[in-house]
Amino acid sequence: MKKLFVALLMAVVFISGCGGDDTVAPGEGPFIGGSEGILLSFVDAAPSLEFVAGQDVPVKLLLKNNGEHDLAEGNVEAKLYGVHMPSFSLDSDWKTVSSPLIGAKKGFWEEGPEKMVDMGVLNYVADLSNPIDKTLFGKICYPYRTRASVDICVSSKEIEDAGGEVVCSVAGEKIVSGGVSSAPVQLTSFTETFEGRDTLVFRLALQNSGIGETFDKDVACAETESLEGNLDQDKVYLTMPEDVTCYFVEGEESNEGYVKLGGTTVTCFMEVENTGSSYERSIDVLMDYKYIESTSVDLRILEA
């Protein structure tokens, strides 16, 4: 039944995307935009905020994909932490979320559907003589993608000096409202300048605009827990069109590779053929990464 629901859901999304202009929400770019990915919280009363030692207390997490990237079944992992897990009869292992998490869709829905994840049953089994207060944490780990559609001006000094027709300008910021999909990592700036006679230089700024932590897209969730000195942290895999070459952190020059978040500007270049005039072109920018977010709930355990 769940698989049927997901299939129907995706069919509706596909039909909506193939419709006329009346299905598209207003905005300059193709995306809703924003800095949200998966929103995480504990389900109300699961766990109860106050309970008696020895009492069975269900624990559930609520996941809501408000970003614009769909996550397939099994791509999201969740875990509990922050207390002595054996004393609370809880499992400290990562738990795979078995169903997909569909993201928000411009012109169809502005928020993604919710998914409830059963994290087990809490039962405090340690000796207790007075009420105690504890904080239980939950976190999720998931791969995510940010997409950007950027309209650039393809021109060169050679074209302008030769008297070619100028129909656009390389000056100014190229990121517009709705030009970047809703996701924790954002492309916050994209500018272009001339370099030599026949080359355009692009400068990109990427930023973690969410509340969580960013890691290499290929790192296992369990490996992210050694945060100190973790070389996989703050890494984003950037993909540009094939005719664009960028300088990446490992020193290679390619249209795709890893960049490090934290104030570093990515520099790319593109050779421009003299066609007699400048022209506008839309290019796609992809950013892939693993993202981790946490939430917490305060508990009071009473003597039985």
Side-chain angles (χ1 to χ4, degrees):
M1 189 66 182
K2 290 182 179 178
K3 292 183 178 180
L4 176 60
F5 170 75
V6 172
L8 292 173
L9 191 61
M10 294 305 295
V12 172
V13 172
F14 176 78
I15 294 170
S16 174
C18 296
D21 291 342
D22 59 337
T23 65
V24 180
E28 293 185 54
F31 304 110
I32 300 170
S35 58
E36 293 182 340
I38 297 181
L39 304 185
L40 172 67
S41 62
F42 281 97
V43 174
D44 289 343
S48 302
L49 302 184
E50 186 174 282
F51 52 89
V52 175
Q55 176 183 348
D56 286 340
V57 180
V59 179
K60 298 180 181 181
L61 291 174
L62 187 65
L63 281 57
K64 186 176 183 182
N65 189 357
N66 268 8
E68 294 180 78
H69 179 61
D70 296 336
L71 290 171
E73 178 179 339
N75 274 4
V76 182
E77 295 182 55
K79 73 170 296 182
L80 301 174
Y81 68 104
V83 298
H84 183 238
M85 303 300 277
S87 297
F88 284 79
S89 306
L90 291 172
D91 190 349
S92 60
D93 293 335
W94 286 95
K95 178 183 179 68
T96 301
V97 179
S98 59
S99 61
L101 283 167
I102 307 301
K105 305 296 176 187
K106 185 171 184 178
F108 189 70
W109 57 63
E110 304 295 296
E111 296 182 351
E114 295 179 336
K115 167 63 181 178
M116 190 178 299
V117 182
D118 186 354
M119 300 300 294
V121 177
L122 181 159
N123 188 309
Y124 189 75
V125 296
D127 293 335
L128 183 65
S129 57
N130 293 298
I132 60 171
D133 296 316
K134 296 289 183 180
T135 300
L136 178 65
F137 292 83
K139 64 180 173 180
I140 51 172
C141 172
Y142 58 96
Y144 219 67
R145 166 175 285 185
T146 307
R147 293 174 293 157
S149 178
V150 183
D151 291 331
I152 65 169
C153 177
V154 181
S155 186
S156 67
K157 277 289 187 182
E158 184 179 8
I159 291 174
E160 294 194 0
D161 291 348
E165 186 174 358
V166 178
V167 300
C168 57
S169 173
V170 301
E173 177 60 61
K174 303 303 177 180
I175 300 296
V176 299
S177 174
V180 184
S181 65
S182 179
V185 173
Q186 286 290 294
L187 179 64
T188 57
S189 180
F190 190 114
T191 60
E192 52 179 329
T193 57
F194 292 135
E195 178 76 19
R197 299 281 298 164
D198 60 354
T199 304
L200 276 176
V201 173
F202 307 125
R203 290 182 173 85
L204 290 68
L206 281 66
Q207 176 178 302
N208 179 6
S209 300
I211 60 173
E213 299 290 338
T214 309
F215 289 86
D216 181 338
K217 65 183 180 69
D218 294 322
V219 70
C221 291
E223 295 175 359
T224 65
E225 296 177 306
S226 301
L227 295 180
E228 186 176 354
N230 194 321
L231 298 178
D232 293 316
Q233 193 169 4
D234 297 325
K235 290 180 70 173
V236 174
Y237 196 82
L238 175 71
T239 303
M240 297 285 284
E242 292 185 356
D243 58 347
V244 176
T245 301
C246 302
Y247 302 102
F248 292 105
V249 293
E250 285 84 1
E252 80 278 14
E253 298 179 15
S254 175
N255 72 307
E256 56 182 284
Y258 284 101
V259 300
K260 196 80 170 175
L261 300 178
T264 303
T265 299
V266 183
T267 302
C268 308
F269 63 91
M270 181 179 73
E271 294 183 357
V272 177
E273 181 182 356
N274 187 352
T275 59
S277 68
S278 62
Y279 61 93
E280 292 184 324
R281 171 186 166 185
S282 179
I283 65 173
D284 294 326
V285 182
L286 303 179
M287 292 148 277
D288 291 286
Y289 45 92
K290 191 72 67 72
Y291 208 71
I292 292 184
E293 296 184 36
S294 299
T295 189
S296 65
V297 61
D298 293 327
L299 307 174
R300 166 154 284 205
I301 303 100
L302 305 176
E303 183 183 3

